[in-house]
Amino acid sequence: MEKRSNQELMAMRQEHVPRGPFNITPIFVKRAKGAIIEDVEGREYIDFAGGIGVENVGHCAEQVVAAIKEQADQFTHTCFHVAMYEPYVELAKRMNEITPGDFPKKTFFVNSGAEAVENGVKIARYATKRPAIVAFQNAFHGRTYMALTLTSQIQPYKWGFGPFCPEVYRMPFAYCYRCAFGLEYPGCGVYCADSLEDFFVTNVAADSVAAVIAEPVQGEGGFIVPPPEYFTRIKAICENHGIVFIMDEIQSGMGRTGKLFACQHFNVTPDIILTGKSLGAGLPLAGVTGRAEIMDAPHVGGLGGTYGGNPIACRAGLAVLDLLQAELLETAVQLGERVRARFLNWQEEYKIIGDVRGLGPMVGIELVKDRASKEPAGDEAGDLVNRSYENGLIMLRCGAYHNVIRVLMPLVITNDQLERGLAILEDGLKEIA
Ligand SMILES: Cc1ncc(COP(=O)(O)O)c(C=O)c1O
């Protein structure tokens, strides 16, 4: 391929690619390794974004690359529906073993998180013969129509794209920093969870609800972590009404929170668990894992897709699981403690930090113009991301008001890279504060 500069490639991008797909940085990548990205002009960046939570095991982890190459030498695609292959069934077996729940499970694979969400909903509806789905405020579940309908945020995701799918109902989430009920934890008694019963009286009848779908830690919504008892209460209510409880672990799973799955922090066992992102370490792979009797409800041919569970992606997924199960979870816990401690120190120093929250190394800081009014500091957060980029750190924001700085760095980041990244971030904070 020709050697082009970032600017030349940007001109091509502007001319040939629609503006809809957003870009956080104006660079084009030449290579990436671990937690470092190098652009086509040879400039290096510390990566605190991990391709939006996809690179938990690090860019180009040796074992993943070796597995991909070995599989590519054998065959790249047959379509699982036409001629099956071992990596698919081996990965399904492993997912059934490692996901929470001591009961028979089954897994099938698709290409993206949104597709996993679509299929979770299809299966829950089929198994229960009920139409409605309950999702939460600030949820993000993807950009295909059902996933987008379940997604809460209007800008930039939903605006202009309606009408959306019917039979989706939305209730407040346990966003303690901005409680929808104006209450305070723990005095609130986690009313937001119990309010699901009221929701069934005033919004949708429990016996028409197929599934409740939730992210254990809301990702795009602002790295929102509910109180420890929240999900056991929600799940108990679901069980009482025969509702399938789906956890979307697409961003929070695969070691991101220091456990394989974030729901393990809450001692809750979903009926269906959705995985994606870091499962394939950059290859398009997402999983739907659930109770065998629910997963087996749809008829033969009712589920599938041409590329779902592509053999190269499944080999990558198997290598990812080996890496995570070997040592990375322990590393993740330590990384999380370090980052959180630093953020909490910053909170004492910089008034612009209203809240620090997260689980393990899935940590975010919510920026506010004023701690009393909690007015979101979205522009300042954007400024911080831009300044960080200019100084060699790639990072992301999230939240309904785009005012939450989040970190999704590869778990293999070295201490030196982490410290350099945090120093850039703190310099930016000083400037905007
Ligand atoms: C929690 C969650 N669910 C679903 C998705 C959609 O995944 P994909 O972009 O692979 O379709 C995302 C993506 O950010 C996500 O964070």
Side-chain angles (χ1 to χ4, degrees):
M1 260 204 258
E2 271 181 69
K3 275 195 171 174
R4 297 186 171 103
S5 67
N6 283 317
Q7 212 180 354
E8 287 168 313
L9 290 166
M10 182 58 103
M12 283 173 72
R13 185 254 180 265
Q14 309 282 35
E15 188 179 348
H16 299 293
V17 182
R19 60 184 185 155
F22 69 109
N23 304 111
I24 287 160
T25 65
I27 61 163
F28 287 78
V29 178
K30 181 172 165 192
R31 62 169 75 93
K33 182 79 188 160
I36 297 292
I37 290 177
E38 184 189 328
D39 75 7
V40 287
E41 296 170 15
R43 187 169 182 220
E44 285 193 354
Y45 299 84
I46 298 165
D47 183 12
F48 274 15
I52 319 194
V54 170
E55 297 292 351
N56 286 359
V57 299
H59 293 281
C60 290
E62 252 168 54
Q63 297 87 329
V64 175
V65 173
I68 290 171
K69 285 183 175 165
E70 196 182 275
Q71 183 58 46
D73 273 343
Q74 288 165 1
F75 61 94
T76 57
H77 174 80
T78 56
C79 185
F80 188 70
H81 308 305
V82 176
M84 296 172 284
Y85 37 87
E86 186 170 352
Y88 189 117
V89 288
E90 176 64 23
L91 186 60
K93 176 174 176 281
R94 294 275 297 273
M95 292 303 286
N96 296 337
E97 284 163 2
I98 63 169
T99 45
D102 192 13
F103 42 75
K105 279 175 250 156
K106 295 203 173 177
T107 294
F108 96 108
F109 296 108
V110 289
N111 305 292
S112 68
E115 210 186 334
V117 170
E118 299 287 336
N119 281 283
V121 169
K122 277 174 72 178
I123 293 166
R125 278 183 169 166
Y126 199 111
T128 58
K129 303 283 175 253
R130 299 172 176 184
I133 310 292
V134 174
F136 291 87
Q137 263 165 27
N138 293 304
F140 183 87
H141 295 291
R143 292 172 183 267
T144 53
Y145 263 106
M146 175 48 85
L148 187 59
T149 306
L150 295 168
T151 290
S152 171
Q153 194 163 326
I154 308 302
Q155 274 291 3
Y157 308 121
K158 298 178 89 162
W159 199 87
F161 291 115
F164 300 104
C165 303
E167 288 302 319
V168 169
Y169 300 84
R170 190 173 311 286
M171 68 175 264
F173 194 63
Y175 186 2
C176 297
Y177 185 64
R178 298 179 189 275
C179 177
F181 300 99
L183 300 172
E184 230 176 273
Y185 181 80
C188 61
V190 199
Y191 169 71
C192 55
D194 297 339
S195 73
L196 182 54
E197 285 288 8
D198 296 336
F199 192 83
F200 292 148
V201 177
T202 54
N203 285 269
V204 57
D207 61 7
S208 2
V209 177
V212 168
I213 182 168
E215 298 155 84
V217 177
Q218 287 187 328
E220 305 305 302
F223 273 34
I224 302 167
V225 189
E229 57 274 61
Y230 181 69
F231 284 120
T232 40
R233 302 243 196 123
I234 295 275
K235 173 77 193 317
I237 296 172
C238 288
E239 266 172 31
N240 277 346
H241 295 287
I243 295 167
V244 176
F245 181 57
I246 304 177
M247 291 244 89
D248 177 343
E249 290 262 15
I250 288 160
Q251 187 163 158
S252 60
M254 312 321 296
R256 188 70 242 164
T257 64
K259 293 187 189 284
L260 264 179
F261 301 99
C263 63
Q264 292 167 317
H265 290 277
F266 297 93
N267 266 328
V268 69
T269 305
D271 301 305
I272 291 179
I273 184 162
L274 308 175
T275 48
K277 291 194 183 267
S278 278
L279 172 62
L283 275 87
L285 179 67
V288 184
T289 302
R291 288 180 184 276
E293 70 274 16
I294 296 177
M295 295 297 291
D296 267 334
H299 57 271
V300 174
L303 303 175
T306 304
Y307 294 114
N310 166 274
I312 300 180
C314 286
R315 287 294 302 273
L318 286 165
V320 164
L321 292 190
D322 288 342
L323 286 169
L324 285 174
Q325 290 184 301
E327 81 245 11
L328 259 185
L329 287 184
E330 188 44 44
T331 312
V333 172
Q334 287 162 12
L335 176 64
E337 281 165 7
R338 230 168 135 165
V339 174
R340 171 187 284 270
R342 194 67 57 86
F343 285 1
L344 287 170
N345 280 344
W346 292 351
Q347 192 180 20
E348 283 175 20
E349 206 158 324
Y350 306 109
K351 286 202 178 66
I352 194 164
I353 299 182
D355 196 25
V356 172
R357 54 179 182 254
L359 280 180
M362 185 172 182
V363 206
I365 49 188
E366 177 154 357
L367 303 185
V368 289
K369 290 186 196 290
D370 170 67
R371 282 191 180 171
S373 71
K374 298 185 181 175
E375 185 187 341
D379 291 344
E380 289 81 349
D383 202 13
L384 184 55
V385 168
N386 291 339
R387 280 168 196 264
S388 299
Y389 156 71
E390 277 157 20
N391 291 310
L393 172 69
I394 297 178
M395 53 181 307
L396 304 168
R397 53 182 172 150
C398 59
Y401 306 100
H402 313 285
N403 64 325
V404 180
I405 298 292
R406 59 170 155 168
V407 294
L408 288 165
M409 67 276 281
L411 305 175
V412 295
I413 191 167
T414 66
N415 283 341
D416 172 60
Q417 291 160 354
L418 178 68
E419 287 306 323
R420 281 193 286 141
L422 290 173
I424 294 171
L425 189 52
E426 186 173 10
D427 283 347
L429 262 179
K430 273 184 203 149
E431 284 168 32
I432 62 157

